[in-house]
Amino acid sequence: MEVTVGDVAMPGDIIKDISTHNTKDKIILGPGLRRDGEVIVASKAGVLRKGQSATYYIDSYQKRYIPNRGENVVGIVTQKVGDIFKVDIAASEQAGLSYMAFEGASKRNRPDVQVGDVVFAKLLVASKDMEPELVCVDSLGKKGKLGVLSSDGMLFTCSFSLVRKILNPECPLFKMLGKEQAYDLAVGMNGRVWIKARSVHETIAVANAILAAEYTALSEMNSLCNRIAKMLLQQR
Amino acid sequence: MEGTEIVEDEGILRPMKCELNHLTMPDGSAMFMQGDTAVVAGIYGPVEARVQKMMYDKASIEVVYTPIKGPPCVDDRMREQIIKETCEAALIATLHPGTAICINVQELQDSGGLLACTVNAACLALINSGLSMKFMIGAVNCMIEKDSQKLILDPDTTQIQEAKATFTFIFDSSKKDLVSCQTTGRFTEKEFLYSFDKCKEASQCVFQFFRSIVTKYATRI
């Protein structure tokens, strides 16, 4: 079976547009696609999409996280082993987080991280053969948005397709929600979302808004946010 | 949801029904019905492998089959083995070395063609889990009737009583090749090849059904 952009591809399907492409053009294959000799074959089920220039990928549904280098994740510290913290990032293996990978950390000045803390970190090493490694600083040694998240927030999980949807710059959800209430938010690519608003009511309302966004079209986001805002006004 | 007709009047697959992502805990799950035969399959993976089962170059695949009642018997172990080996052929296990992929299958009702049903359910659950696969696998069950020598595709329990031989063929979706096959009873080479061809034709309906189910779910997100 051959498929084109916009169709639903199944594992084993041949991607027609790429295979007939000019051989000199550079093509980037995203997740769910692989090359098998002369042809490009889908390895996951989902909608075949084309990004900017010649980037192709399959928009698939997935619940298990497979670490990728450079992605931001929300993890839970599970244990301290010598100089590193073990962090559960919902992948097949726990990730390592060195105590030196925090802003301003030194041998004498250790960061205050306890077992059970929630951290927002970036994957520095993510290879199929090695243990994933996290950092809470950027290459300049600044922490930016990364680091330990405060314990009075709420953590919940959602599907990856929802994470990709709400992190898309074109998605108006966060801007619209932000007009009505203030909140802190950390969205990990591993399907974990941490939020903290001014009150418990608001936190739960924002969490529900995010979860409801999964099956809401971008054009209907506005009415969704208005509904949530109205509900919160009644609560007060 | 879809019953599909094939040339012979007995050559009709029983209607298939499926619900994807039926369970919340597993990474991928499917409830699959073929006629009255129903199974639920759930996939966990890639997860951390146990030390004895860990392979440094690819993911180890474990299959647990649970019958409706009682502990699993020898037949069930064999079924596990067939599912394991067919899924190993379909999955790209080298992408996740040192991990395990657990496939759990629960029988809900057996009205004939249970092996085909479990394999199809496992394939749909694998598709739902988002694991990389080389191709899909589709299983078709058939039998040859004792008296009339007639080939019946996808028989139910009452028809199987009259069977001289039963066959379960599992095909891949890309080259339409045979992946694995299980037979019972006595039959000639000609009968085997004839039923193989018929099942190969019928496997297209199974793949079409898989596609229609995935399309239904993919367009909703």
Side-chain angles (χ1 to χ4, degrees):
Chain A
M1 177 91 184
E2 290 181 333
V3 290
T4 53
V5 173
D7 289 353
V8 171
M10 301 289 281
D13 283 355
I14 292 167
I15 312 300
K16 207 174 164 189
D17 334 5
I18 313 179
S19 308
T20 57
H21 228 272
N22 190 347
T23 43
K24 278 185 184 161
D25 290 348
K26 195 173 166 187
I27 296 165
I28 300 164
L29 295 182
L33 297 173
R34 65 192 185 94
R35 202 186 71 167
D36 187 11
E38 290 290 297
V39 290
I40 307 297
V41 184
S43 60
K44 286 181 187 177
V47 183
L48 177 69
R49 294 203 197 280
K50 190 181 177 203
Q52 291 153 351
S53 66
T55 312
Y56 293 86
Y57 63 96
I58 287 182
D59 200 357
S60 66
Y61 183 88
Q62 197 169 330
K63 281 204 260 184
R64 170 69 57 174
Y65 183 60
I66 292 162
N68 282 312
R69 187 168 188 268
E71 282 183 351
N72 292 331
V73 293
V74 174
I76 303 166
V77 180
T78 52
Q79 56 175 323
K80 283 181 189 176
V81 188
D83 290 347
I84 57 166
F85 303 107
K86 287 280 177 198
V87 183
D88 168 34
I89 55 166
S92 62
E93 213 176 348
Q94 300 212 333
L97 174 61
S98 165
Y99 76 97
M100 293 294 274
F102 287 87
E103 187 181 272
S106 62
K107 285 233 156 167
R108 207 174 288 167
N109 180 22
R110 287 192 171 224
D112 180 31
V113 179
Q114 304 301 326
V115 170
D117 278 357
V118 179
V119 289
F120 187 50
K122 194 182 268 299
L123 275 160
L124 184 70
V125 175
S127 140
K128 59 180 180 164
D129 301 300
M130 283 195 296
E131 184 192 81
E133 198 177 307
L134 297 167
V135 284
C136 282
V137 285
D138 60 14
S139 50
L140 299 170
K142 292 278 180 282
K143 71 171 192 244
K145 302 271 190 287
L146 306 171
V148 179
L149 300 168
S150 75
S151 56
D152 49 354
M154 183 173 89
L155 186 71
F156 66 95
T157 52
C158 61
S159 76
F160 298 144
S161 50
L162 176 60
V163 168
R164 290 195 294 262
K165 186 174 183 179
I166 57 179
L167 287 181
N168 188 337
E170 280 167 25
C171 178
L173 178 72
F174 293 147
K175 266 183 212 148
M176 285 177 182
L177 279 175
K179 276 182 200 157
E180 302 293 338
Q181 52 263 336
Y183 57 88
D184 280 346
L185 177 92
V187 185
M189 285 304 284
N190 56 346
R192 281 192 180 146
V193 181
W194 173 92
I195 48 169
K196 187 185 139 194
R198 282 171 301 197
S199 68
V200 177
H201 274 304
E202 284 188 20
T203 308
I204 294 169
V206 174
N208 283 338
I210 293 169
L211 287 173
E214 180 152 26
Y215 299 110
T216 311
L218 292 186
S219 52
E220 288 165 24
M221 292 275 184
N222 206 355
S223 65
L224 173 78
C225 294
N226 287 339
R227 223 164 47 234
I228 297 278
K230 213 178 281 173
M231 212 170 61
L232 278 174
L233 277 177
Q234 283 167 0
Q235 292 277 347
R236 265 174 213 155
Chain B
M1 237 154 269
E2 267 190 338
T4 341
E5 238 178 70
I6 307 165
V7 265
E8 281 181 61
D9 66 340
E10 292 285 0
I12 299 172
L13 290 181
R14 291 177 293 172
M16 291 181 272
K17 290 191 178 79
C18 172
E19 195 175 324
L20 289 184
N21 214 7
H22 175 75
L23 308 170
T24 48
M25 271 296 283
D27 301 318
S29 58
M31 187 192 225
F32 187 71
M33 275 181 88
Q34 209 161 353
D36 288 334
T37 311
V39 293
V40 175
I43 310 269
Y44 291 89
V47 291
E48 211 162 347
R50 277 181 291 164
V51 180
Q52 313 98 292
K53 299 237 169 149
M54 180 146 45
M55 284 185 277
Y56 66 88
D57 58 341
K58 61 178 183 180
S60 73
I61 296 166
E62 288 169 46
V63 178
V64 178
Y65 175 87
T66 322
I68 321 176
K69 55 179 194 285
C73 61
V74 178
D75 274 1
D76 299 329
R77 293 271 177 232
M78 190 198 68
R79 213 167 273 138
E80 278 178 9
Q81 200 62 29
I82 292 175
I83 301 169
K84 184 182 169 226
E85 275 160 20
T86 26
C87 289
E88 261 171 6
L91 280 166
I92 309 176
T94 46
L95 286 180
H96 313 289
T99 62
I101 293 166
C102 305
I103 304 173
N104 297 300
V105 186
Q106 169 70 54
E107 171 190 351
L108 295 182
Q109 188 173 331
D110 180 11
S111 302
L114 187 61
L115 178 66
C117 195
T118 40
V119 170
N120 288 341
C123 178
L124 279 164
L126 281 175
I127 289 171
N128 183 238
S129 73
L131 286 165
S132 291
M133 294 161 84
K134 276 175 250 165
F135 42 71
M136 296 182 285
I137 42 175
V140 183
N141 181 243
C142 76
M143 62 167 255
I144 294 174
E145 208 167 35
K146 213 183 289 170
D147 309 321
S148 60
Q149 301 291 322
K150 211 195 287 172
L151 178 90
I152 301 176
L153 273 173
D154 205 5
D156 57 28
T157 351
T158 43
Q159 285 170 313
I160 285 179
Q161 303 287 322
E162 303 297 314
K164 181 175 90 163
T166 64
F167 309 89
T168 304
F169 295 103
I170 306 172
F171 298 94
D172 79 57
S173 68
S174 56
K175 290 196 185 102
K176 320 282 187 269
D177 279 339
L178 187 67
V179 179
S180 52
C181 141
Q182 196 239 355
T183 59
T184 59
R186 290 171 64 175
F187 48 85
T188 62
E189 191 186 343
K190 207 176 143 197
E191 283 168 337
F192 176 80
L193 291 172
Y194 180 68
S195 46
F196 171 74
D197 284 342
K198 282 292 164 202
C199 285
K200 196 173 185 174
E201 268 172 45
S203 73
Q204 295 315 305
C205 307
V206 177
F207 292 130
Q208 242 161 45
F209 175 75
F210 286 1
R211 196 178 293 273
S212 70
I213 284 294
V214 170
T215 312
K216 202 176 95 190
Y217 279 86
T219 45
R220 217 168 59 180
I221 297 170

